[in-house]
Amino acid sequence: MKYLCMLIALTHALAAEIEVQGHIGLEGQWYTQLPNAKHQNNVIAFETVEMHYEHEALQLQASLYAQQDYDDLAGSADNDRTFVRLEELYGTYEFNDSMLFFGRNIRFWGALEVRNIVDVFNPIDMRSDIFNTDKMGVWNVAYTYYSDASEWSVILKLYEENQKMAAYPYAYYVFPPFVTYDHMLQSESSRYRPSIYLSYVSSLDWEYPLDVALIFENGYDSQRYFLSDRVFESSSVSVTAHAYLVNKVMSYNTMVVGATLLKLEALYTDVIDNERVSDYYHLGLGAEYTLTFDTLSGDLGLIGEYYRYGRLEHGKLSDLELYETFQNDLFLGVRYTFNDVDDSSLIGGVIQDLEYHERVCYVEYESRFGDAIKLNLDYRYIDPSSRYQTAYALLKEHERLGLKLSYYF
């Protein structure tokens, strides 16, 4: 009884020091152009709850995400987009000049605006809006050493996550209706074969301030390839994703030159003994020039980015077969920051595929109402290739309006 009372007292003490915050909201998209067999609109309710505990050098963090799709609730043609997902559950312990990490989390790597080609640590949740690139947490352990202007990290990702996908009626299910996606990931070795990352990040206070990040990986690539098996009795097709082992070198960097921010993301992938996937490189170059107006309370940013993906071995899967959408693309856009109390911003632009002659146009607006309510509006238009079977061509011509309203507590 004595120990039970001590445990209850400890639990109450911890609960009193745990910070809890989160947000709930509604998100919907309405499609003016979309194949008739797919849902012409979709609405979800969502909630995120975050908990944080800190005691001296120890910090604990947990985050849970849940969403309910209206079509799943109505019981008609389900989108299979209703789920609960453990985003993060981790702890960190700080030493004098280093940190130990253990648990499940989301890491962000990258510098570019439209696509972060080196942001490969966490897989994408394919039940979400493809334009949001919703990431799933992964289990890993890491040790980071800090020096004056840099940090060194060794990260061990413990296994590869399965990736579920929404069902056919949903707008962003890319396969035809007779194709069933099997979410069980196939891999060359065990899915529990760890992937190791060595990371170096530094800020250099030169004449032109420079931020540099270098990462080496030995393990499973973030790029997947898909194989299908036809079931002749039912004429159905099952598609599975396959993971393969690589050595990968990545870098993302920014440099400030006056009012211009220069960006670079680059990677080279050495595919280890896979007969289907070639060694490849991916490059992203960007620049953002900011104009400040004396007569307006805001800043205007002019953005330009170019992406290039290339295979180094012929006779293996092409970028089309790998569903790579940024293989030879130019982005031109603008960002206007209102500098008001509501943190309002407007960004838009055009992504032009220079090889397959397709384009994506978009506009996004974001603002707050007080400290608790956040509003997001967006418009998207996809004009897919008429000659090549690209990922966008599988989705067909596409136009949508989106609304997201969140309440923070």
Side-chain angles (χ1 to χ4, degrees):
M1 187 68 180
K2 169 182 160 183
Y3 296 107
L4 178 60
C5 292
M6 291 175 61
L7 179 61
I8 292 174
L10 177 61
T11 303
H12 280 289
L14 288 174
E17 296 184 28
I18 294 176
E19 298 178 10
V20 179
Q21 61 183 13
H23 61 276
I24 59 175
L26 292 172
E27 180 178 8
Q29 285 89 32
W30 293 265
Y31 306 94
T32 60
Q33 295 188 54
L34 197 69
N36 291 330
K38 293 189 174 183
H39 290 153
Q40 300 300 301
N41 56 74
N42 56 265
V43 177
I44 62 167
F46 60 88
E47 179 176 8
T48 297
V49 177
E50 299 176 359
M51 290 169 283
H52 179 78
Y53 171 77
E54 184 172 346
H55 178 70
E56 297 180 350
L58 176 67
Q59 294 190 45
L60 302 176
Q61 177 77 28
S63 177
L64 194 68
Y65 174 80
Q67 76 174 36
Q68 172 67 61
D69 184 281
Y70 172 79
D71 289 295
D72 295 345
L73 185 65
S76 54
D78 289 352
N79 285 327
D80 289 345
R81 299 183 66 225
T82 300
F83 59 88
V84 177
R85 183 177 67 216
L86 179 63
E87 299 272 64
E88 296 184 310
L89 178 63
Y90 66 85
T92 62
Y93 192 88
E94 296 276 355
F95 301 95
N96 289 335
D97 54 3
S98 60
M99 180 187 70
L100 181 64
F101 170 95
F102 50 92
R104 180 183 179 92
N105 76 326
I106 297 174
R107 299 177 183 272
F108 173 76
W109 296 333
L112 293 167
E113 174 65 37
V114 177
R115 168 78 180 275
N116 297 113
I117 59 179
V118 301
D119 191 21
V120 300
F121 190 76
N122 299 89
I124 295 172
D125 194 325
M126 295 187 291
R127 295 168 294 183
S128 302
D129 178 359
I130 61 171
F131 296 111
N132 289 341
T133 58
D134 219 4
K135 296 285 186 174
M136 298 188 297
V138 297
W139 295 99
N140 65 106
V141 295
Y143 176 78
T144 301
Y145 172 77
Y146 301 102
S147 61
D148 291 339
S150 61
E151 62 183 59
W152 302 79
S153 298
V154 179
I155 308 167
L156 196 67
K157 183 160 68 170
L158 301 180
Y159 74 96
E160 295 299 308
E161 299 276 344
N162 290 317
Q163 289 176 277
K164 293 186 177 181
M165 184 182 292
Y168 172 74
Y170 181 53
Y172 299 122
Y173 184 81
V174 298
F175 301 115
F178 59 84
V179 174
T180 302
Y181 172 75
D182 183 351
H183 72 274
M184 297 300 294
L185 179 67
Q186 304 299 305
S187 56
E188 286 184 349
S189 183
S190 168
R191 285 176 49 221
Y192 295 89
R193 191 272 197 196
S195 296
I196 186 168
Y197 299 81
L198 305 177
S199 169
Y200 169 76
V201 179
S202 180
S203 295
L204 305 175
D205 191 16
W206 293 350
E207 179 182 359
Y208 303 116
L210 174 66
D211 290 330
V212 177
L214 298 172
I215 303 166
F216 170 79
E217 178 202 357
N218 172 262
Y220 283 110
D221 198 8
S222 59
Q223 181 178 258
R224 306 286 191 241
Y225 66 89
F226 296 90
L227 295 180
S228 62
D229 296 315
R230 178 176 293 277
V231 180
F232 290 98
E233 294 81 0
S234 61
S235 297
S236 64
V237 176
S238 177
V239 173
T240 54
H242 290 250
Y244 52 90
L245 296 170
V246 300
N247 292 309
K248 184 189 288 280
V249 180
M250 299 171 281
S251 181
Y252 62 95
N253 314 273
T254 61
M255 176 182 284
V256 179
V257 181
T260 302
L261 178 64
L262 302 177
K263 311 173 188 179
L264 166 67
E265 292 189 31
L267 62 84
Y268 169 76
T269 304
D270 168 37
V271 178
I272 303 174
D273 298 331
N274 187 281
E275 61 183 13
R276 292 185 171 89
V277 183
S278 164
D279 298 346
Y280 67 92
Y281 67 88
H282 211 167
L283 176 68
L285 300 169
E288 181 171 352
Y289 179 72
T290 301
L291 296 166
T292 301
F293 302 98
D294 295 332
T295 57
L296 299 175
S297 59
D299 300 324
L300 179 67
L302 307 178
I303 310 170
E305 295 178 349
Y306 175 71
Y307 299 83
R308 182 70 181 182
Y309 175 96
R311 293 180 300 162
L312 301 179
E313 301 171 83
H314 296 290
K316 296 190 176 183
L317 294 173
S318 68
D319 55 87
L320 290 175
E321 293 169 308
L322 292 168
Y323 302 104
E324 176 57 58
T325 55
F326 282 79
Q327 87 297 335
N328 187 7
D329 292 64
L330 178 66
F331 168 69
L332 297 175
V334 296
R335 182 205 323 270
Y336 188 77
T337 305
F338 290 85
N339 293 336
D340 57 7
V341 294
D342 296 325
D343 294 330
S344 303
S345 64
L346 182 70
I347 184 170
V350 177
I351 306 167
Q352 178 68 47
D353 191 310
L354 304 178
E355 184 172 354
Y356 301 132
H357 308 294
E358 59 185 7
R359 68 185 58 85
V360 177
C361 309
Y362 76 96
V363 178
E364 295 179 357
Y365 173 76
E366 180 179 297
S367 187
R368 289 189 301 107
F369 298 95
D371 295 326
I373 298 176
K374 186 176 181 179
L375 171 69
N376 298 81
L377 298 171
D378 78 276
Y379 167 82
R380 305 270 176 179
Y381 174 71
I382 299 176
D383 181 17
S385 174
S386 59
R387 296 179 55 193
Y388 300 93
Q389 192 77 332
T390 67
Y392 290 140
L394 293 174
L395 292 175
K396 310 297 183 185
E397 188 176 6
H398 174 97
E399 186 178 41
R400 84 167 201 202
L401 296 171
L403 167 66
K404 183 177 180 180
L405 196 61
S406 308
Y407 173 76
Y408 287 77
F409 57 87

